[in-house]
Amino acid sequence: MKSVPTAGQRTAGRPSALPRTAGRASTTTLETVRDAAGQVTSRVRRTVLPSGLRIVTEQMAGARSASIGVWIGVGSRDETTTTHGASHFLEHLLFKGTDERSALDISIALDAVGGEFNAFTAKEYTCFHARVLGEDLPLAVDVLGDMVTGSVLDTHDVDAERDVILDEIAMHEDDPDDVVQNLLADLAWGSGPLGRPIAGTTGSIEAMTRAQIQRFYRKHYRPENMVVSVAGAVDHGEVVKAIRRSFHRHGFLDGAAEPIGPRAGGRRPRIHGREGRISRPFEQVNVVLGAEGLTRDDDRRFALGVLNTALGGGTSSRLFQEVREHRGLAYSVYSFATQYADSGLVGVAVGCLPDRLDEVLEVVRVELSRIVAHGITADELERGKGQLVGGLVLGLEDSASRMMRLGKAELVYAEVLGIDEVMDRINAVTLEEVQEVATHVFGRPELLAVVGP
């Protein structure tokens, strides 16, 4: 089995909810990592402000950069048919200016110090993030705090950005990967929130008013619905002070509230077997063969991760070897697994020439049937574990990756698992668990999305 060295001794605690004294912030150390000499190489700390805003930091010894992310627990699945696309619209608009800074001022502030600055919207959350030198972190905190708490949402900016988003939607419509994934979501969840594209539609964006966007902003952009994660060359106490100063604009941190916990699963949407095809003048056919997967809090997700890696997660994976290397049927083939609070999808995506579609589908279906019937081999199990563990550790060597890990974990799980604990849970996966989860997901009704000529 592939082994990955760990950084000495690690202690961790994982409170799912921190008790707080009314009117006072509560701070807890979640994880401390020491090297062989006993020196601290990493420390994760968490503070909850009286307003409900959560701040999670990871101090990385030797780091010279710092990354910050402001995570808001709102995404496209929180929208109605009349506000479809509002989360993504807001992501654009918050860069357009505040009472203190114009859009140009916001851009100049971080460009002037060589910082990286961006945002993204997902189905269940939105994130604004920046990466700067450690000494410039207070500037990044101030800019992000100003944007998130004080966007003016000017009518002219709304109209101008509407055209930009319509161009973005048109661009996605020209991308076969985006089209086939949106088709798969529609087959799985229909017109429900999870089934709709994140950016909205041409009709929903054209019809959306500034008043609707502003109401959406005020409803969801609240401190108890936010997490600020920071990693790298940071001091937790100084970060908390900077966030208090920056986010206190407009009385944003006034009042007391408990943090909003992880999104409740509720009734699980039923996914039925369906097939959908969209005709487009592309050179290739893009196809996704999918099925209902696991929810985010399902303990079997670690076994599913190993299965996904062995099935289609790299050049040594079963599908890559069979579809591309042995048969030469496609250039791109991979498997995936996505999880949400109350649903999930697994699938295999392939791009191939139109006259090879039937053979590709037959090969993929045969491989899935074999895994359901016989599971994976011991060698595949060990390679899958090694690939997951190695990717996890290598992916956490920069401050941005660690910031992303902290923010997402706090927002969607309300806990931050230690790296050693995640590695242990991956390495504990058995062949029997992999076959059980394979039977569970690939024994379900099939979803087939096809886009092409």
Side-chain angles (χ1 to χ4, degrees):
M1 180 179 69
K2 180 180 178 181
S3 61
V4 178
T6 58
Q9 183 180 1
R10 186 184 305 265
T11 59
R14 300 188 293 103
S16 59
L18 290 178
R20 294 189 287 110
T21 303
R24 298 180 59 189
S26 175
T27 300
T28 298
T29 298
L30 302 183
E31 182 181 36
T32 299
V33 183
R34 300 177 186 275
D35 61 20
Q39 299 296 311
V40 174
T41 59
S42 173
R43 177 175 284 124
V44 178
R45 301 183 72 193
R46 178 183 190 257
T47 290
V48 183
L49 299 184
S51 62
L53 181 68
R54 287 158 284 175
I55 304 165
V56 187
T57 70
E58 181 168 8
Q59 182 182 18
M60 299 167 58
R64 301 189 65 177
S65 70
S67 296
I68 176 173
V70 180
W71 300 75
I72 304 93
V74 61
S76 60
R77 73 169 305 175
D78 299 296
E79 300 159 358
T80 65
T81 54
T82 57
T83 59
H84 180 201
S87 301
H88 179 250
F89 212 142
L90 264 177
E91 177 209 314
H92 281 241
L93 289 173
L94 263 60
F95 286 88
K96 304 304 288 184
T98 69
D99 289 334
E100 299 180 23
R101 292 179 172 93
S102 67
L104 181 59
D105 292 334
I106 290 172
S107 298
I108 287 175
L110 292 180
D111 281 351
V113 296
E116 302 169 356
F117 196 29
N118 215 328
F120 62 87
T121 305
K123 290 186 184 287
E124 296 187 332
Y125 48 82
T126 305
C127 178
F128 298 84
H129 54 94
R131 182 168 180 254
V132 293
L133 296 178
E135 57 263 35
D136 296 317
L137 179 60
L139 171 64
V141 172
D142 193 61
V143 172
L144 281 172
D146 189 19
M147 288 172 53
V148 169
T149 66
S151 177
V152 295
L153 304 181
D154 182 79
T155 300
H156 171 76
D157 292 332
V158 171
D159 291 337
E161 210 61 27
R162 188 192 316 277
D163 291 335
V164 172
I165 294 171
L166 291 173
D167 283 345
E168 185 176 351
I169 291 173
M171 179 185 69
H172 290 311
E173 286 295 310
D174 287 335
D175 187 324
D177 289 333
D178 288 342
V179 175
V180 77
Q181 289 293 340
N182 284 337
L183 175 58
L184 179 71
D186 180 69
L187 293 174
W189 298 297
S191 60
L194 281 176
R196 297 193 292 254
I198 292 171
T201 64
T202 298
S204 69
I205 297 302
E206 287 179 340
M208 200 173 303
T209 66
R210 176 185 180 276
Q212 287 175 311
I213 298 171
Q214 190 170 49
R215 285 194 297 269
F216 194 86
Y217 176 47
R218 290 173 177 171
K219 178 180 179 181
H220 295 286
Y221 279 61
R222 308 194 313 272
E224 65 269 29
N225 197 34
M226 289 187 186
V227 170
V228 181
S229 61
V230 189
V234 303
D235 176 272
H236 184 80
E238 293 302 316
V239 169
V240 172
K241 290 178 184 177
I243 290 173
R244 281 184 181 272
R245 288 192 301 268
S246 177
F247 281 71
H248 217 290
R249 292 175 169 92
H250 313 288
F252 186 75
L253 297 181
D254 291 351
E258 290 296 323
I260 296 175
R263 186 182 298 270
R267 174 182 288 185
R268 183 164 182 162
R270 296 189 64 185
I271 296 178
H272 303 281
R274 297 177 62 194
E275 179 177 331
R277 295 176 181 260
I278 295 177
S279 178
R280 292 291 174 84
F282 299 140
E283 293 296 324
Q284 281 190 320
V285 172
N286 284 264
V287 57
V288 177
L289 191 67
E292 184 175 357
L294 304 180
T295 59
R296 181 184 294 123
D297 61 354
D298 195 312
D299 287 338
R300 294 172 295 178
R301 65 188 183 273
F302 296 98
L304 180 59
V306 174
L307 169 64
N308 181 56
T309 301
L311 177 64
T315 57
S316 66
S317 68
R318 187 175 293 197
L319 285 174
F320 189 92
Q321 287 295 311
E322 189 64 26
V323 173
R324 175 170 167 169
E325 296 297 289
H326 294 167
R327 299 174 183 262
L329 293 174
Y331 176 78
S332 174
V333 55
Y334 64 91
S335 61
F336 62 89
T338 57
Q339 287 110 34
Y340 301 105
D342 52 4
S343 193
L345 284 175
V346 294
V348 176
V350 188
C352 65
L353 295 175
D355 61 357
R356 294 182 174 180
L357 174 60
D358 290 341
E359 187 177 358
V360 165
L361 287 175
E362 180 182 0
V363 171
V364 171
R365 285 174 174 139
V366 167
E367 290 303 321
L368 294 181
S369 297
R370 286 175 178 167
I371 279 185
V372 169
H374 306 292
I376 62 176
T377 67
D379 285 344
E380 287 175 321
L381 177 72
E382 296 309 315
R383 286 202 306 270
K385 291 179 181 180
Q387 188 173 337
L388 282 181
V389 169
L392 171 68
V393 175
L394 293 176
L396 294 176
E397 290 193 341
D398 64 89
S399 62
S401 297
R402 295 202 177 217
M403 176 276 293
M404 291 284 181
R405 168 182 172 263
L406 291 179
K408 185 175 179 181
E410 177 63 38
L411 187 71
V412 305
Y413 293 106
E415 65 176 9
V416 179
L417 293 179
I419 301 299
D420 282 347
E421 182 170 0
V422 175
M423 291 167 58
D424 288 344
R425 295 184 73 171
I426 293 171
N427 285 322
V429 171
T430 66
L431 285 170
E432 292 74 20
E433 289 171 336
V434 172
Q435 185 170 4
E436 189 278 330
V437 79
T439 302
H440 179 73
V441 297
F442 291 119
R444 286 174 163 172
E446 177 185 283
L447 297 166
L448 178 62
V450 181
V451 173

